[in-house]
Amino acid sequence: MRRSFWFLMSLVLIGLVAAEAAAGQESSGPDMTTIQRERAPGVPMTPNVGDVQRDEPAAERAEVRRERERVARDRRGPAQPNRDLPMPRGVPSIIAP
């Protein structure tokens, strides 16, 4: 009984020392606020908006925007009340042979 108590206390102390060392190791590293996170070396987590706009000419951006708006208008289209609706297909019975 006495030995198990000391064994348990030594495990607790070792755990506390390990936790203290791990906590100290995180804060002793370089300042994490100045380092930008990366997906891979040289690839940022999110693209920089300025770089994307600089790489894509303004005329192409406007053309793409107009094309998107035109497609959205075409997709809506006018209502067609007299159109032919597709008939639902019959589902075969599970019980039928």
Side-chain angles (χ1 to χ4, degrees):
M1 180 73 175
R2 194 101 170 125
R3 287 185 185 169
S4 64
F5 171 75
W6 288 110
F7 180 72
L8 181 63
M9 288 304 290
S10 64
L11 285 177
V12 169
L13 288 176
I14 290 172
L16 288 174
V17 169
E20 183 71 26
Q25 188 176 14
E26 286 180 10
S27 63
S28 67
D31 189 15
M32 297 303 284
T33 58
T34 59
I35 297 175
Q36 186 178 11
R37 293 180 51 201
E38 298 178 341
R39 293 182 188 208
V43 181
M45 290 297 283
T46 56
N48 187 356
V49 177
D51 292 343
V52 173
Q53 289 179 352
R54 183 185 66 230
D55 292 343
E56 183 179 340
E60 288 182 18
R61 284 198 310 266
E63 184 179 327
V64 168
R65 188 178 330 111
R66 278 187 299 240
E67 178 69 20
R68 233 184 276 140
E69 290 171 357
R70 186 187 62 75
V71 168
R73 276 195 310 268
D74 291 348
R75 191 174 295 151
R76 280 190 304 233
Q80 299 174 351
N82 297 329
R83 65 181 177 181
D84 292 331
L85 296 176
M87 293 300 294
R89 286 186 0 184
V91 179
S93 175
I94 298 174
I95 302 172

